[in-house]
Amino acid sequence: MRRVAASVVLGLAQVVSACSLEPEYQRPAMPTTSTFAADLAPEADGPPATQIGWRDFFKDPRLQRFIALALENNRDLRQAVLRIEEARAQYRIQRADQLPNLNLGGSASRIHTGSGGFGGTTGGTGDVPGGGVIPGGASSTTLNRYEIGVNVSSFELDFWGRVRSLTEAARAAYLATIEAQRSFQLSLIADVATVYLVDRELEERIALAERTVRARREGLEISRLRLEVGATSALDYRQTETLLTQAETELAALQRQRAQNRNVMQVLIGGPVPTDLPPPRPLSEQGIIETISAGLPSDLLVNRPDILSAEEELRSANANIGAARAAFLPRISLTGSFGFASTELDELFGNDGETWSFGPILSLPIFDAGRNEANLDLAVARRNIAVANYELTIQNAFREVADALAARRWLAAQIDAQRRALEAERERAELAELRYRNGVADYIEVLDAQRELFAAEQNLVATRQLQLSNAVALYVALGGGLMAESSPPAGR
């Protein structure tokens, strides 16, 4: 009998679902064209972004240190890592429902029945083991009872795949959090790099502004001396003063932007900027790879972690439909136990003390006021939302890559034009100064040429920063190179 009971319990515990009510998962069709527009940018000869680790992509040691600090200390990234732990625990909890829970229990009790109880007798001496004799012939009884056994409580036989669907949904949600964390890592790297490049831009523009301010202060002093000896007019002097204040205003604005930009960096790296950082490189020596191969839009489906995360969320929503459908069908659960019981502790494990019980429980929903139907509608609606979110994520990824490719083409042309414009403005400023000294032109012509030269210098530096930031944006838009990075991501 012992073997029969054990076989029944273990055999039923291994029953798996014979079918699944989940809709067959099909990846939605690409909501974009199959190729990027040919006129966005010529195909580059560089390697794919996924094969370039971020340490290889960014060559500036100072920037590498900032990125490493951000991956280690950023609080938002830390939350993303903890969400992975949360989702992993939820998945393990749900997966545990696919197996029976075995509990080992034991008890010991001592029971006394008086002469007036059900165990009492009259007319006898009460001469029983553990009993006593009561005057008048009535007897009392005291018994010991010991029990030990293994129990299975309410294990659901997953005939319709309800538990399995819930487990699959939890697993997909867990995988989605992993991809979401990778997506945030890429965004964090891009944010740190962009803030750093802006800082380099502001430093160079501030240096230009400071040099311009010094030159214009000297010019103002010369103009003052000329005014005192009558060699120039008060109008020319005031125009020179205005030119100086414009440069001073621009310098103050740039210094304010630099201070605010560095505050952003402190938030990104999760603390104060260390004092032992390597010296920075200028924009022209950053060495950022600008010849990344774009590949095909379909490559984004397996390279972009945000798309992979959206697809796992879609898988999770699809699995929940199966669980909602299974709720309409009968649910069978098992309870059972196997063990030993005896009145004597030393005879507890004897054959005569063997006990077992087995009981299936059938539950069939008859009336639930539309709850199950509403849960199914909710699961279907959430699956449709997940489909729309997945398609939107793909469209946004396509747009980001297309924008970066277009910018890569036209920023190169813009920088070339601005270089030529800067050379022209320098020659113009020199000619205007020469014409003014020879009395051919008014001083207003000199002031105008100097303003345009200053603006051209500032614009060229800003555009160089945009070109490098665009290379970073393309690197991230194509999926980055987290998998190619030799060092493990923070928190993994």
Side-chain angles (χ1 to χ4, degrees), residues 215-472:
R216 292 183 181 179
R217 283 176 179 168
E218 293 174 359
L220 181 62
E221 180 63 19
I222 294 173
S223 182
R224 185 185 65 80
L225 295 175
R226 288 169 59 86
L227 177 62
E228 290 178 353
V229 298
T232 188
S233 65
L235 178 60
D236 289 345
Y237 175 78
R238 293 304 177 187
Q239 288 174 336
T240 304
E241 187 177 24
T242 301
L243 197 63
L244 171 62
T245 58
Q246 290 175 346
E248 290 174 336
T249 301
E250 179 69 13
L251 175 59
L254 292 173
Q255 290 171 333
R256 171 184 56 81
Q257 294 174 32
R258 181 180 61 181
Q260 294 173 340
N261 190 71
R262 290 181 175 178
N263 290 337
V264 174
M265 180 65 80
Q266 290 191 25
V267 175
L268 291 176
I269 66 175
V273 176
T275 57
D276 59 343
L277 292 174
R281 293 183 180 180
L283 291 176
S284 58
E285 299 178 11
Q286 286 296 311
I288 292 176
I289 300 175
E290 301 182 48
T291 57
I292 299 176
S293 175
L296 298 174
S298 58
D299 295 336
L300 300 178
L301 299 184
V302 294
N303 293 338
R304 291 263 306 213
D306 56 341
I307 294 179
L308 294 174
S309 178
E311 184 173 12
E312 292 297 341
E313 290 176 354
L314 175 56
R315 291 181 187 273
S316 178
N318 193 72
N320 281 325
I321 293 179
R325 287 176 174 175
F328 287 89
L329 301 174
R331 187 180 303 179
I332 300 176
S333 302
L334 298 180
T335 59
S337 65
F338 177 82
F340 300 89
S342 176
T343 58
E344 299 294 336
L345 183 60
D346 56 355
E347 298 178 359
L348 178 60
F349 295 100
N351 292 332
D352 293 339
E354 179 180 300
T355 64
W356 62 271
S357 66
F358 169 75
I361 301 174
L362 175 65
S363 176
L364 175 64
I366 298 177
F367 176 75
D368 61 1
R371 181 186 299 273
N372 287 336
E373 185 176 356
N375 281 332
L376 178 58
D377 292 342
L378 177 62
V380 172
R382 286 177 173 172
R383 193 272 307 274
N384 294 336
I385 293 173
V387 170
N389 178 65
Y390 177 70
E391 293 175 340
L392 180 60
T393 304
I394 293 176
Q395 290 177 337
N396 286 334
F398 184 93
R399 178 189 58 80
E400 290 174 2
V401 174
D403 287 349
L405 289 174
R408 182 167 70 178
R409 175 180 181 179
W410 299 114
L411 279 172
Q414 182 178 348
I415 287 179
D416 181 67
Q418 285 185 336
R419 284 198 186 101
R420 290 184 279 110
L422 178 58
E423 292 300 323
E425 290 297 338
R426 283 175 179 165
E427 293 182 5
R428 177 192 170 191
E430 293 175 0
L431 291 174
E433 181 71 22
L434 182 60
R435 284 167 54 84
Y436 173 71
R437 290 178 181 177
N438 293 329
V440 179
D442 295 332
Y443 194 64
I444 188 64
E445 183 176 327
V446 176
L447 298 178
D448 184 63
Q450 290 181 352
R451 277 194 299 265
E452 294 299 327
L453 175 60
F454 180 65
E457 291 173 334
Q458 295 283 331
N459 290 337
L460 181 58
V461 174
T463 308
R464 282 174 178 167
Q465 182 272 127
L466 288 177
Q467 187 179 40
L468 294 175
S469 295
N470 179 73
V472 175

Side-chain angles (χ1 to χ4, degrees), residues 57-60 62-63 66-67 189-205 261 265 268 280-290 461-473:
F57 185 78
F58 302 105
K59 304 299 179 60
D60 189 334
R62 190 182 185 94
L63 175 54
F66 277 132
I67 293 176
I189 290 173
D191 289 343
V192 172
T194 300
V195 170
Y196 179 76
L197 292 174
V198 170
D199 183 78
R200 295 292 87 222
E201 172 207 344
L202 292 173
E203 281 289 340
E204 294 187 17
R205 293 178 63 185
N261 190 71
M265 180 65 80
L268 291 176
R281 293 183 180 180
L283 291 176
S284 58
E285 299 178 11
Q286 286 296 311
I288 292 176
I289 300 175
E290 301 182 48
V461 174
T463 308
R464 282 174 178 167
Q465 182 272 127
L466 288 177
Q467 187 179 40
L468 294 175
S469 295
N470 179 73
V472 175

